[in-house]
């Protein structure tokens, strides 16, 4: 599940790893974007989608949204009867695997405010310096399928310029 359509990239990866499995994807565009909403509200959305999945023979729920993972993964694991995975730990592990001494994290307002990536990176390696910046404008680029466009490049350039010149 995701707050919109960005999670389809995670679906493609799952399909590559598990080509003979059926996948049910819920893109919660009715509540999009999650990144500016209170975490308690995002938790309710995730649990409602999880409860929907529990009505069917779903074997695993993947929260393919950083904001929803930060807000709801722990609660979903406790309250739902199906296993639940999020995307923050794998992302943090991939960043740590680069052997960088400093890792920059960009994300939604909510994910950055929560500090989820910084906590997860420091669980893996407490010596890494983590610099975080909310880049909410990138969300609409991804969700509207505007990646690989001049508009996307301009937004990335602007956001990263603000990131390094904070």
């Amino acid at each position: 599940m995701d707050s919109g359509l960005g999670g389809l990239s995670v679906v493609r990866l799952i399909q590559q790893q598990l080509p003979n499995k059926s996948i049910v994807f819920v893109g919660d565009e009715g509540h999009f974007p999650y990144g500016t909403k209170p975490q308690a509200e995002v938790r309710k959305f995730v649990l409602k989608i999880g409860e929907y999945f529990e009505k069917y023979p779903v074997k695993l729920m993947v929260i393919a949204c950083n904001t929803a993972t930060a807000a709801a993964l722990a609660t979903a694991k406790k309250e739902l009867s199906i296993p639940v995975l999020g995307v923050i730990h794998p992302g943090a592990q991939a960043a740590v695997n680069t052997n960088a001494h400093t890792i920059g994290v960009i994300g939604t307002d909510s994910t950055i405010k929560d500090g989820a990536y910084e906590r997860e990176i420091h669980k893996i390696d407490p010596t890494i310096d983590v610099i975080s910046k909310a880049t909410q404008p990138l969300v609409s680029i991804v969700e509207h399928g505007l990646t690989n466009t001049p508009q996307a490049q301009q937004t990335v350039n602007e956001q990263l310029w603000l990131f390094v010149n904070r």
Side-chain angles (χ1 to χ4, degrees), residues 38-104:
Q39 287 199 331
E41 188 174 1
V42 173
R43 251 187 310 281
K44 288 179 188 175
F45 300 150
V46 172
L47 290 175
K48 187 169 185 163
I49 292 167
E51 290 164 2
Y52 169 80
F53 286 152
E54 287 178 318
K55 295 177 185 177
Y56 299 93
V58 171
K59 296 177 183 170
L60 172 71
M61 177 177 174
V62 177
I63 303 174
C65 170
N66 288 303
T67 299
T69 298
L73 180 61
T75 302
K77 283 182 169 186
K78 283 185 227 168
E79 295 191 17
L80 298 175
S81 62
I82 56 176
V84 183
L85 299 175
V87 291
I88 290 177
H89 177 77
Q93 186 66 62
V96 170
N97 288 348
T98 66
N99 296 314
H101 299 291
T102 302
I103 295 174

Side-chain angles (χ1 to χ4, degrees), residues 8-25:
L8 289 173
S9 60
V10 175
V11 169
R12 281 190 290 279
L13 291 172
I14 294 170
Q15 286 174 324
Q16 289 172 4
Q17 296 296 314
L18 303 168
N20 298 320
K21 298 293 180 181
S22 298
I23 296 175
V24 176
F25 176 75

